[in-house]
Amino acid sequence: MSSNRIKNIKSRLLSDHYYILKRLSFDYRMKNGTWVNQVREVYDRGDGAGILLYNRTKKTVILIKQFRMPTYQNDNPDGFLIEVCAGLLDKDNPEACIIRETEEEVGYRLDTVTKVYEAYSSPGVMTEKMHFFVGEYTDAMKVSSGGGLDSEAEDIEVLELPFKMALEMLNSGQIQDTRTIVLLQYLQIQKLLD
């Protein structure tokens, strides 16, 4: 990392209980040339990967439903979100991560996936970069019921939905996860299920 607009970076650890939360202070040169001191809290939880599985024959997608405490704290009455399968890289490369997460969470064993995007999740506060994938599935690839790992206390409901229904859920506000919105729109734009 190198920028001629940032100097005197100071970092203080606030928490490393689950992930890492730091307080950063730094001098930043504005576009008019003036230097100002800024302070930010930065949350580092590692990078992640997410995938939208689709079936061309059935014109369906696989999504999951699980409880998310932060959404419960911010106006989601039951705390459950409908999302794409996703997980942290845990030092894997993104492709290996998403193939592993797909089997753990939804029970499908994939051989190949297609990477479509790479983007920062919430760049004002998080370091996380998300790797977005799509993958075609068939019923023959089903190896388990999914649901997540007991060792991680995951409680995941697997949803196989008609693609049109998933788009209706997106448009009606039932789907509120950014990763899922991005990938559903990608499938729609690319006409992968037309």
Side-chain angles (χ1 to χ4, degrees):
M1 288 188 305
S2 172
S3 173
N4 61 3
R5 295 184 69 178
I6 301 167
K7 64 181 183 180
N8 301 325
I9 301 170
K10 295 180 184 136
S11 175
R12 185 173 63 132
L13 181 66
L14 299 178
S15 174
D16 64 354
H17 177 69
Y18 197 63
Y19 300 118
I20 297 169
L21 178 62
K22 292 181 181 178
R23 179 183 186 273
L24 298 175
S25 65
F26 55 96
D27 294 329
Y28 175 79
R29 185 170 49 85
M30 306 287 281
K31 61 184 172 189
N32 68 8
T34 341
W35 286 93
V36 295
N37 184 262
Q38 295 190 358
V39 177
R40 299 287 184 271
E41 288 185 0
V42 176
Y43 195 51
D44 184 351
R45 61 184 299 267
D47 293 340
I51 189 167
L52 180 58
L53 301 176
Y54 65 97
N55 183 300
R56 286 183 200 263
T57 305
K58 297 194 297 185
K59 300 204 179 314
T60 53
V61 294
I62 299 284
L63 297 173
I64 63 170
K65 185 176 182 179
Q66 66 180 322
F67 180 76
R68 298 297 196 180
M69 177 54 87
T71 73
Y72 183 71
Q73 294 292 302
N74 188 19
D75 203 28
N76 182 355
D78 67 3
F80 284 89
L81 277 188
I82 296 172
E83 316 172 13
V84 293
C85 170
L88 294 177
L89 298 188
D90 295 328
K91 300 186 180 176
D92 274 342
N93 68 55
E95 291 83 4
C97 165
I98 205 57
I99 288 171
R100 180 190 74 239
E101 288 292 332
T102 299
E103 190 167 333
E104 290 173 5
E105 292 190 1
V106 299
Y108 286 86
R109 184 170 293 147
L110 301 177
D111 293 323
T112 60
V113 294
T114 303
K115 186 170 183 179
V116 296
Y117 298 115
E118 186 175 305
Y120 290 99
S121 298
S122 185
V125 71
M126 292 177 58
T127 61
E128 179 185 54
K129 186 182 288 185
M130 181 61 65
H131 301 265
F132 293 85
F133 294 88
V134 293
E136 194 165 357
Y137 76 95
T138 65
D139 291 340
M141 295 174 175
K142 185 88 169 155
V143 294
S144 76
S145 59
L149 297 177
D150 291 338
S151 62
E152 294 179 8
E154 291 179 312
D155 184 31
I156 296 169
E157 181 182 348
V158 180
L159 307 171
E160 183 175 33
L161 303 171
F163 181 55
K164 285 185 179 182
M165 179 186 287
L167 290 177
E168 289 168 9
M169 293 169 74
L170 167 63
N171 292 328
S172 70
Q174 294 174 69
I175 293 177
Q176 296 185 324
D177 172 65
T178 304
R179 300 163 304 178
T180 307
I181 294 168
V182 166
L183 287 171
L184 284 170
Q185 290 179 337
Y186 175 84
L187 237 60
Q188 185 178 34
I189 290 166
Q190 298 299 319
K191 301 180 188 310
L192 293 177
L193 290 179
D194 281 353

